[in-house]
Amino acid sequence: MAQNTVEKTPVTMLGLGAMGTALGRTWLAAGHALTVWNRTPARAAALATEGAKVVDTAAEAVAANTLIVLCLLDDTSVDEVLAGTDLAGTDLAGTDLVNLTTSTPAQARARAEWARERGARYLDGGIMAVPPMIGVPETGGYVFYSGSRNLFERHQETLSVPAGTTYVGEDAGFAALHDVALLSAMYGMFAGAAHAFALIRKEDIDPAALAPLLADWLVAMAPAVHQTADQLRSGDYTKGVVSSLAMQVAGTPTFLSTAEQQGVSPELLSPYFELMRRLLAEGSGEEDLTGVIDLLVN
Ligand code: FVH
């Protein structure tokens, strides 16, 4: 009986660190032929046993397939692999480059231009997942993509194998910008959580008891970003205010005194409080904290 099989797009992976290996594993498991290259060959051994074809040079890996996925440490390593000696003289015309290496927006745009000059199509990606989330859809991990919409649509099915896909525009820098925006917010959250744990550090309070309270509170407060967005769009920072800036600034000495009493440095909180005070001094007491955003933008 004839089998109804559609050949899946073969993929080349450049970079087999923790993330590159996790990505490659999902393509193999989904039945995609996978060609891999890594600067340190030993790191390819695991995927080789799972069916990947390991090649000796980046140039061989690029020549093997049309769809090339890069997941390297940083933009400098991408430079070394793509623009450096490994690929010198390799014809990239007709190649589809998908770069999942964390970059700045400017680096992503420069890379897109670099690819265009060589006749390659380019998509940039920002991974919103850690390696254990790759290939596990219920974890909610996904990747931001930006650059050529045609290229994204052509490969969307293949790119959806390791994680969800969210396309954010033709500007190649937008995936990186979204990635860095979300991760920056994450670091702000981590900073707040670090201060909270520091406050109880010397007390007879189990950090494991505080953790669920903290997590629930952060989740409860997270929807506030929708009101911020609404205020930014309308330009009316008094819209829907529940806790005015004036009231919140009045509360800041309590936070700073508590930190002092607990022997905790205020260095994570103080910069934000300083911006709040500046905003109040400008006469924004009846507003939300949204004006802080405008103070940050040069
Ligand atoms: N792992 C994570 O939690 C995060 C989650 C969000 C996205 N990031 C980004 O993903 C990129 C790769 O991260 P990774 O976790 O795979 O990183 P490593 O395990 O450290 O592997 C790095 C790979 O890059 C290769 N490499 C480094 N420098 C060079 C170079 N000069 N020339 C060629 N390859 C280079 C390295 O090769 P080797 O050390 O094994 O020879 C690995 O393949 C990254 O942008 C994260 O920000 C991950």
Side-chain angles (χ1 to χ4, degrees), residues 8-9 11 22-23 25-28 30 32 67 69 98 100 123 133-145 151-167:
K8 301 203 173 166
T9 305
V11 180
L23 294 168
R25 179 165 284 134
T26 66
W27 279 310
L28 281 174
H32 292 256
L67 177 57
V69 178
V98 178
L100 302 183
L123 260 186
M133 293 164 77
I134 298 300
V136 190
E138 53 277 21
T139 60
Y142 67 94
V143 180
F144 283 122
Y145 288 98
L151 186 56
F152 173 72
E153 287 172 355
R154 180 177 312 158
H155 292 301
Q156 188 175 8
E157 198 177 329
T158 303
L159 297 175
S160 300
V161 169
T165 60
T166 300
Y167 180 77

Side-chain angles (χ1 to χ4, degrees), residues 10-16 20-38 41-56 61 64-65:
V11 180
T12 283
M13 276 278 346
L14 300 178
L16 298 175
T21 300
L23 294 168
R25 179 165 284 134
T26 66
W27 279 310
L28 281 174
H32 292 256
L34 184 71
T35 302
V36 297
W37 172 84
N38 194 60
R43 287 183 99 171
L47 289 186
T49 62
E50 295 168 37
K53 180 180 179 199
V54 183
V55 294
D56 293 334
N65 293 310

Side-chain angles (χ1 to χ4, degrees), residues 24-89:
R25 179 165 284 134
T26 66
W27 279 310
L28 281 174
H32 292 256
L34 184 71
T35 302
V36 297
W37 172 84
N38 194 60
R39 179 183 61 175
T40 306
R43 287 183 99 171
L47 289 186
T49 62
E50 295 168 37
K53 180 180 179 199
V54 183
V55 294
D56 293 334
T57 65
E60 275 180 83
V62 169
N65 293 310
T66 299
L67 177 57
I68 314 298
V69 178
L70 296 105
C71 191
L72 298 164
L73 185 64
D74 54 15
D75 190 62
T76 305
S77 45
V78 175
D79 230 23
E80 284 178 25
V81 173
L82 282 186
T85 52
D86 275 350
L87 280 187

